[in-house]
Amino acid sequence: MTASARPARPLSPLVAFLLGWGIGVGVFLLLRGVGLALLSGPCEGRTTLALLAPLLLGPGGLAFTASNWARPRRAALGLGLVVASFLPALAVGARDIGVLRATGCAGGYVVVTPASGGKSVSELNVRAGQTLNFTARVGGYTPQTHPGEFRLSTRSPAPGLALTLQGARARAGESVPLRLTVAPNTPPNTYTVGVQATQESGGQAYTAEGTLTVNVLR
């Protein structure tokens, strides 16, 4: 007598979930490996690579789960893909983006804070004829990755608003006094003024900008 073949046991939802998570991790590692092999520069395309796997696995896994909700094992497989989009894909992508910001690949910014200290300011109310003191600091870059000085300049759309920097150059992270003067005859309105910082190194220009919305009151 020959023994009859035993029927294969279907996958349990837990095993299907783990299988989906493993497939998601494999897709993440494949995309990351191919992307790192194709990208030669330290900045270009790195943000897209960091977000590609989470954007594919997350919505794709949710769509697969929703379309197979009546089938528990397939739905569990899709949930495994969704979890893989968060861990490790999104966790590693967030870390990569943090590294890009630290090295200046994600661009820079200028932080404007009151001269007396406190949180950064993006909008304020000021009366015509008033003068306020601030500090401007170049952020998004570090002295280690961008050791040179940045050239500072200001931008004001109205003659009645004047931004004055007490220093035309500053290093990354260094604060420079900044003064906002509103002429007495400035019409009440909302204005946007700005501070720019530029550094040229190795034939490439690095920029940072900060804006301040000024509501002039009577």
Side-chain angles (χ1 to χ4, degrees), residues 143-206:
Q144 292 73 30
T145 59
H146 297 76
E149 292 184 324
F150 286 82
R151 294 196 310 272
L152 303 177
S153 61
T154 60
R155 172 177 52 85
S156 177
L161 272 71
L163 275 180
T164 306
L165 283 162
Q166 297 183 23
R169 294 180 178 272
R171 297 182 182 276
E174 181 182 354
S175 296
V176 176
L178 174 69
R179 175 170 294 176
L180 171 66
T181 303
V182 183
N185 59 346
T186 303
N189 206 337
T190 298
Y191 304 90
T192 300
V193 295
V195 181
Q196 299 87 31
T198 306
Q199 180 191 99
E200 294 183 1
S201 177
Q204 186 173 357
Y206 300 93

Side-chain angles (χ1 to χ4, degrees), residues 16-216:
F17 171 82
L18 294 175
L19 178 61
W21 182 81
I23 292 174
V25 172
V27 171
F28 162 69
L29 293 176
L30 177 63
L31 291 175
R32 183 174 175 82
V34 172
L36 293 176
L38 294 178
L39 296 176
S40 57
C43 298
E44 187 175 359
R46 300 284 174 168
T47 301
T48 301
L49 177 61
L51 298 177
L52 182 59
L55 291 177
L56 286 177
L57 294 174
L62 286 175
F64 186 85
T65 301
S67 62
N68 293 278
W69 191 251
R71 303 175 179 179
R73 288 183 293 274
R74 292 192 178 185
L77 182 70
L79 288 176
L81 294 174
V82 174
V83 172
S85 72
F86 289 98
L87 187 69
L90 186 60
V92 176
R95 186 206 64 183
D96 290 345
I97 292 176
V99 173
L100 291 175
R101 291 193 65 88
T103 56
C105 290
Y109 47 88
V110 176
V111 181
V112 178
T113 57
S116 58
K119 296 182 178 180
S120 61
V121 179
S122 59
E123 183 176 1
L124 74 156
N125 298 326
V126 59
R127 295 192 177 277
Q130 193 174 0
T131 297
L132 299 176
N133 293 316
F134 302 91
T135 61
R137 175 176 56 84
V138 178
Y141 303 105
T142 66
Q144 292 73 30
T145 59
H146 297 76
E149 292 184 324
F150 286 82
R151 294 196 310 272
L152 303 177
S153 61
T154 60
R155 172 177 52 85
S156 177
L161 272 71
L163 275 180
T164 306
L165 283 162
Q166 297 183 23
R169 294 180 178 272
R171 297 182 182 276
E174 181 182 354
S175 296
V176 176
L178 174 69
R179 175 170 294 176
L180 171 66
T181 303
V182 183
N185 59 346
T186 303
N189 206 337
T190 298
Y191 304 90
T192 300
V193 295
V195 181
Q196 299 87 31
T198 306
Q199 180 191 99
E200 294 183 1
S201 177
Q204 186 173 357
Y206 300 93
T207 60
E209 183 173 0
T211 59
L212 184 64
T213 301
V214 181
N215 302 314
V216 177

